[in-house]
Amino acid sequence: MSNTAQPSQSPTTDPPASLRCVRVCQNRTCKKQGAANVLAAFAALPVPGVMVTASGCLGQCGNGPMVLVLPETVWYSRVHPSEVPLLVEQHLLGDQRVRQMLYYRFHPQG
Ligand code: FES
């Protein structure tokens, strides 16, 4: 009989590498522009494998509400809650960027 200890399988809280994340800025300027409602709109449309999180300032104040989709690093600006279903359907479920909502500064070609 062996007395070799088995490596323990410690639980992890890290999301799987394949998990997609939608970060919705909730800092002051974006919040003034309605970011809380944008976050609520995402929360109302959960997508398996996609984690939606409130984020601190994403450094693009004045262009908000800002939304950043990771890991593909796609930025959306001036997102309105009524546009969230389109973003969910086309980008998160369909893997197609919503060109008309892209942040011009980081996606100048659309
Ligand atoms: S407050 Fe949202 S990007 Fe700065």
Side-chain angles (χ1 to χ4, degrees):
M1 189 170 208
S2 170
N3 62 357
T4 305
Q6 295 293 315
S8 64
Q9 300 255 325
S10 62
T12 177
T13 55
D14 292 339
S18 60
L19 189 67
R20 198 181 239 167
C21 182
V22 177
R23 303 185 74 188
V24 184
C25 178
Q26 296 295 297
N27 206 49
R28 191 169 45 189
T29 310
C30 283
K31 234 176 172 169
K32 275 187 195 161
Q33 296 174 305
N37 290 333
V38 173
L39 182 61
F42 275 107
L45 295 170
V47 177
V50 177
M51 184 171 65
V52 177
T53 61
S55 142
C57 180
L58 293 170
Q60 306 304 319
C61 311
N63 295 291
M66 291 300 304
V67 171
L68 172 60
V69 183
L70 298 169
E72 57 264 53
T73 316
V74 173
W75 295 77
Y76 292 104
S77 60
R78 302 192 192 282
V79 177
H80 190 273
S82 67
E83 297 172 312
V84 170
L86 174 65
L87 200 157
V88 167
E89 185 176 329
Q90 191 172 318
H91 188 141
L92 301 181
L93 294 172
D95 286 323
Q96 299 280 327
R97 298 174 181 202
V98 186
R99 294 177 71 107
Q100 67 272 28
M101 292 173 62
L102 290 171
Y103 183 33
Y104 68 95
R105 189 173 288 170
F106 295 152
H107 306 290
Q109 307 305 320

